[in-house]
Amino acid sequence: MVRIIALLAILVSTCSFGQFTDVRQIPDPKSSSSTKNSSNDSSESTRDYVSNPDYIISSEDELAINKILTDLEINHSFQVAFVAVNSIGNNVIEDFAVDLFAEWGIGNTDTDNGLLVLFVQDQRLIRFETGEGTSTILPDTKCYAIQQQYMIPYFKNFQYSTGLLMGAQAINDALEDKIIESTGEDYDVSYEELSREWEAEEKKRRAARNRSFLIGLSAWHGVGLIIFIIALIYARLKHDPYAKYSIVKWHALWIWALIFPVTHIFVVILAKKLKTRYRDMIRFSDLNGEIMHKLTETEEDKFLSKGQITEELVRSIDYDVWITEKSEDVLILPYKKLFSGYTKCPSCKFKTYKKLYDKTLKSPTYSSAGQGERKYSCSNCKHSKTTKYRIAKLVRSSTTSSSRSGWSSSRSGGYSGGGGSSWGGGSSSGGGATSGW
């Protein structure tokens, strides 16, 4: 319920504040204002690195983030921009981040040491877009780790402002005391080496995941085989072939091959062969110990009742009849079909009772209930039953569309990126990471 309310709040806020469908509509913090006095020291200036037009970040947290990012640029030369908006419309966040990074030119031209953190509330996504130099210190995996460890847990609890502040602190911890000399030829070589290292690490992680998957898959199928082996042992302990059949028949169902697809295709085939074997296994009379033989379908009818013959005709139960040489002992064994559609008749008690139809006599409306009718009939004794039932009236959906979805972002349309900006003219590497919650 809390999550639903929060999502509704996101929808309402998006409608209220509008959508930033173009990067030029995002307010550039370096062109919209100059400096702010820090609350800790009036002589210390705090630069603007946070674009917060929809007030997602609290004023206290925005000041703290600006302080962190100011220290990063002054002491370590990194330029980091934070942008938190309700919506960017139907834009893909990765493409929007690349365009916004280029529009502002985050980072220094010679080192490309910029970083853009883009938070989009209605898409429930956070994006890190790195400059080419920054990506040597914050590779994609590191960006993703910061998001997952320091930000997403807060976002899941709707603490967006706190999550962004924690992310800023984690970025500061990762970038402080790091130096990027240039993005020239020397850097390209080291970047290639780093890429090879990252690829090797990712290959190891993939191999570990594959091993875990194979171990889990083997254990799962091992459980299935153990179940079947236990059933086989239990069946072998039985002396009656009919009891053996009753145990094994459940393992001849193809559902087992869906649950255990690697091993149980062969298990099901084996179980089917065992079913046939146990059904045709020679039996001895409990009356006189003589060998019994199974009658053909035609021969067995004189030993079956009318109801049993009807069950065979409708294929709800198949009967095997075994007799001794002089017919002194007769053994009738029922083999029920698992999915015949027939049930036991309340009158004659044979499995020959089935629903003939289920139809609507009167369709329901929004103002009145409808009526339906079902009819059951027995193929053996012809007993039948017709029942009528009530169909609930239709209910109108409570979901309504809001005309407010057509709002435009006129409040942000006056801002244009780049003009008067004091970013360093850096460019994006196209790298980074995106996380959702």
Side-chain angles (χ1 to χ4, degrees), residues 162-272:
T162 303
L164 289 165
L165 176 58
M166 293 299 101
Q169 186 59 60
I171 291 169
N172 177 75
D173 295 341
L175 294 180
E176 64 178 352
D177 298 327
K178 303 295 192 302
I179 298 175
I180 300 173
E181 297 296 341
S182 70
T183 56
E185 183 176 352
D186 292 340
Y187 160 72
D188 291 335
V189 174
S190 61
Y191 180 75
E192 291 176 0
E193 292 175 354
L194 276 172
S195 296
R196 285 193 293 270
E197 291 179 6
W198 300 335
E199 290 174 2
E201 291 177 2
E202 183 61 27
K203 187 175 181 181
K204 290 179 181 178
R205 283 192 289 270
R206 283 197 300 267
R209 288 195 297 267
N210 291 337
R211 282 195 300 271
S212 299
F213 174 76
L214 290 176
I215 291 172
L217 186 65
S218 300
W220 174 246
H221 283 80
V223 169
L225 287 175
I226 290 172
I227 293 172
F228 180 63
I229 291 170
I230 291 173
L232 282 182
I233 294 172
Y234 187 52
R236 287 187 176 275
L237 293 175
K238 296 290 184 179
H239 297 291
D240 181 11
Y242 187 72
K244 294 176 182 287
Y245 174 92
S246 299
I247 295 170
V248 171
K249 70 176 182 179
W250 299 106
H251 294 270
L253 298 175
W254 283 109
I255 186 66
W256 288 96
L258 295 177
I259 299 173
F260 305 101
V262 177
T263 57
H264 274 58
I265 293 176
F266 307 101
V267 167
V268 171
I269 293 173
L270 175 59
K272 286 182 177 293

Side-chain angles (χ1 to χ4, degrees), residues 35-46 63 67:
T35 61
K36 298 177 182 178
N37 289 332
S38 170
S39 60
N40 297 329
D41 187 350
S42 59
S43 64
E44 181 183 0
S45 64
T46 300
L63 184 62
K67 179 65 170 63

